Every structure is written in C-alpha cells, then in structure tokens.
Amino acid sequence: MSSITTRDAPHGFSFAEYMTCLTGIVWREGLRFLHQRERFVSALVRPLVWLFIFAAGFRQVLGISIIPPYETYILYEVYIAPGLMAMIQLFNGMQSSLSMVYDREMGNMRTLLVSPLPRGFLLFCKLLAGTAVSLLQVYAFLLIAWFWDITPPPSGYLTVLPALILSGLMLGSLGMLISSGIKQLENFAGVMNFVIFPMFFASSALYPLWRVQEGSPYLYYLCEANPFTHAVELIRFALYGQINWISLAVVATCTIVFMIGAILAYDPSRGLARRGPAGGEG
C-alpha cells in the first residue's frame, strides 16, 4: 500500500500580502494621475473659475451673515471655499469610477476582480487610491486659494484632513456604486451629469441653507437630505477645528451604505455587474 500525503492549502492571506495589494493599486492610480496632467489641471480649473469669477460677481448680492463655524462676517469667497473643496472630491470620485468602467471594458478591472483576494478589499483599495488622489487636488486648491486671502487657521489644514478622507470615501463609493450598473463607457458621462450637478447645486456649497429656506422650503428639505450638503458642512467645520456631529454621522453612514452597495453590485452572482457569456464582466 502506498500512502498519499496531502497538504492543505493555506487559508486567508497575511497582512503583508494585503498591504502589497493596497500599495500596488494606490501606486497604479497615482501613476495614472501623474500621466494625466490634464486631469489635474481640469480638477483645479473648475473650482478656481467659481472662486475667481462667480464669487466676484455675486459677492455683493449674496452677503453672508454670522453663522457657525464663522465668528464674524466673512467674504463670499471664504464661504464657498469648503464647497469647492468638496466639489473637487465629487468630480474626482466620478472620474475614478469612469476609469473603472474603462478598465472593465479593456480587461484590467476584469483581471483584478478575479484575483484570490476578497473582492470587497480590492474595491476598498481602489476607493482609497481615488481618495488619495483627491487629497492632492484639494490641497493644491487650498495653496492657490491662500494667495486669494482665503486663509483658515493654520491648524485647519490638518484638522480638515480626516473630514476630507471621509468625504472622499463617501463620494468615491457613490461613484463606484453608479459605475457598477454602467455597461458602456459612453453612457457614463450622461449619468455623471444627472448626479454631479443636482448634488452640487442642491447643497450648501454655494449658499447658506437659511437663504434657500427663505426662497423655497421644499428645496431646503431636499438640500438637508442631500449627502453632499453634509460632506460640505463636515469639511467647513473641520477647516476651523470644529466637528459637525450631524454631518459626521450622515457622511459616515452614507459611506458604509454606498460601499456595501458597491461591493454587492460588483458581485457577479447577485449584483449589477453580471458575468457575460465568456465569464467576464458584462
């Protein structure tokens, strides 16, 4: 008789293997961002146009009263700065999701999602990479805004970092959830417009909600229910070393919900990204 010795396959992955995967995905996203210089420029042009042109034209029309976290009257440019920071993250989250649709069509994302690592971890790594890129864009915007006399407390540049990370994760996971149902790259641009502009304009990014309530109570309630509003307010308070607990709870909850939804949607067995005839992503 001959005995056959079998060795059980190892279960799970080590911490080093998880970190290798995270580093590789973040590095790939960083290299893609560096090679797409027009993406960096366009990410700054949008908020700077609002800051230099829109704010200058509406400064006298939209006066800002003393509202938290501000302790005195402020210029309109100072008020909209946090909203423009969140705007950068909103566009970056959608563009990062657009790259996922492209990768899925070209096969790169298909290869990534069939790796033995947990799919949820892979998507979370992709989300972290997109958030890291958005942080570079936001701090570049703050540097330019500093020359425009938009100067929060020096400590605000550090205290706002956790708020930026959380809001970036929320907006990136929302874009990831949307991208899971997009089958063709051409369709994503139209979907982006239906998401970005309503979220941005129906928020406190450009005007205080008390002014919205004076004009339309129904729009006020819509703005209050908009997760982007709470992302803006979380950034606004954090920039001055304060915490808006309601906004923190809303952003954290939406991040979890959107991320779980994206993971389920990218599951071919039950999500929106169904497998095609050949076994790849549809």
Side-chain angles (χ1 to χ4, degrees), residues 10-26 109-126 263 266-268 275 281:
H11 296 285
F13 295 90
S14 67
F15 177 77
E17 290 172 324
Y18 278 108
M19 290 305 299
T20 300
C21 174
L22 174 62
T23 304
I25 294 177
V26 173
M109 182 57 62
R110 194 175 301 176
T111 303
L112 178 65
L113 292 179
V114 298
S115 69
L117 285 164
R119 178 164 300 202
F121 179 76
L122 295 171
L123 294 176
F124 183 69
C125 291
K126 174 70 175 177
I263 293 174
Y266 269 95
D267 185 351
R275 288 191 181 276
E281 300 290 343

Side-chain angles (χ1 to χ4, degrees), residues 131-143:
T131 302
V133 169
S134 73
L135 293 179
L136 297 176
Q137 297 170 345
V138 169
Y139 275 99
F141 168 76
L142 285 174
L143 177 62

Side-chain angles (χ1 to χ4, degrees), residues 9 14 16 30-31 41 51 65 91 94 107 117 121 137 155 164 178 183 211 213 218 229 235 243 245 253 256 268:
S14 67
L31 289 178
V41 173
L51 184 63
S65 61
F91 274 90
M94 295 301 165
L117 285 164
F121 179 76
Q137 297 170 345
S155 60
L164 290 173
I178 295 173
K183 302 303 180 184
R211 281 193 172 273
Q213 189 174 23
Y218 296 105
T229 294
I235 294 173
I243 301 177
W245 292 104
T253 302
I256 296 173

Side-chain angles (χ1 to χ4, degrees), residues 10-281:
H11 296 285
F13 295 90
S14 67
F15 177 77
E17 290 172 324
Y18 278 108
M19 290 305 299
T20 300
C21 174
L22 174 62
T23 304
I25 294 177
V26 173
W27 184 253
R28 178 178 181 271
E29 190 70 18
L31 289 178
R32 169 184 285 180
F33 176 71
L34 291 176
H35 289 119
Q36 295 175 344
R37 295 181 179 87
E38 65 279 359
R39 178 180 170 186
F40 179 74
V41 173
S42 63
L44 292 180
V45 166
R46 278 187 296 264
L48 291 178
V49 167
W50 284 93
L51 184 63
F52 297 153
I53 300 177
F54 182 88
F58 284 84
R59 179 188 301 171
Q60 302 301 325
V61 179
L62 298 174
I64 305 299
S65 61
I66 303 177
I67 56 175
Y70 309 109
E71 299 178 354
T72 183
Y73 290 100
I74 58 172
L75 295 176
Y76 183 62
E77 295 94 319
V78 176
Y79 176 81
I80 67 172
L84 298 180
M85 294 162 62
M87 175 188 183
I88 293 174
Q89 293 192 305
L90 176 61
F91 274 90
N92 181 80
M94 295 301 165
Q95 287 181 333
S96 179
S97 301
L98 175 64
S99 70
M100 291 188 67
V101 178
Y102 176 80
D103 286 347
R104 199 169 63 205
E105 285 190 353
M106 301 303 294
N108 297 332
M109 182 57 62
R110 194 175 301 176
T111 303
L112 178 65
L113 292 179
V114 298
S115 69
L117 285 164
R119 178 164 300 202
F121 179 76
L122 295 171
L123 294 176
F124 183 69
C125 291
K126 174 70 175 177
L127 187 59
L128 280 179
T131 302
V133 169
S134 73
L135 293 179
L136 297 176
Q137 297 170 345
V138 169
Y139 275 99
F141 168 76
L142 285 174
L143 177 62
I144 299 175
W146 184 82
F147 291 99
W148 201 254
D149 290 332
I150 299 176
T151 54
S155 60
Y157 294 100
L158 293 178
T159 57
V160 76
L161 181 59
L164 290 173
I165 294 175
L166 186 57
S167 60
L169 291 175
M170 183 193 76
L171 297 171
S173 59
L174 174 60
M176 186 179 296
L177 177 59
I178 295 173
S179 70
S180 65
I182 305 299
K183 302 303 180 184
Q184 294 181 349
L185 189 63
E186 295 79 8
N187 299 334
F188 194 75
V191 175
M192 284 176 60
N193 291 332
F194 282 105
V195 174
I196 290 178
F197 292 111
M199 287 189 70
F200 179 68
F201 288 109
S203 71
S204 60
L206 299 179
Y207 21 72
L209 292 188
W210 66 266
R211 281 193 172 273
V212 177
Q213 189 174 23
E214 288 181 348
S216 173
Y218 296 105
L219 181 59
Y220 168 78
Y221 293 124
L222 179 63
C223 294
E224 279 281 0
N226 183 1
F228 186 73
T229 294
H230 296 281
V232 172
E233 293 306 309
L234 183 65
I235 294 173
R236 188 188 311 280
F237 276 74
L239 200 58
Y240 291 86
Q242 303 178 36
I243 301 177
N244 188 321
W245 292 104
I246 295 178
S247 295
L248 176 60
V250 171
V251 173
T253 302
C254 289
T255 301
I256 296 173
V257 171
F258 294 155
M259 187 61 194
I260 293 176
I263 293 174
L264 294 177
Y266 269 95
D267 185 351
S269 63
R270 54 185 170 180
L272 298 176
R274 302 284 183 181
R275 288 191 181 276
E281 300 290 343

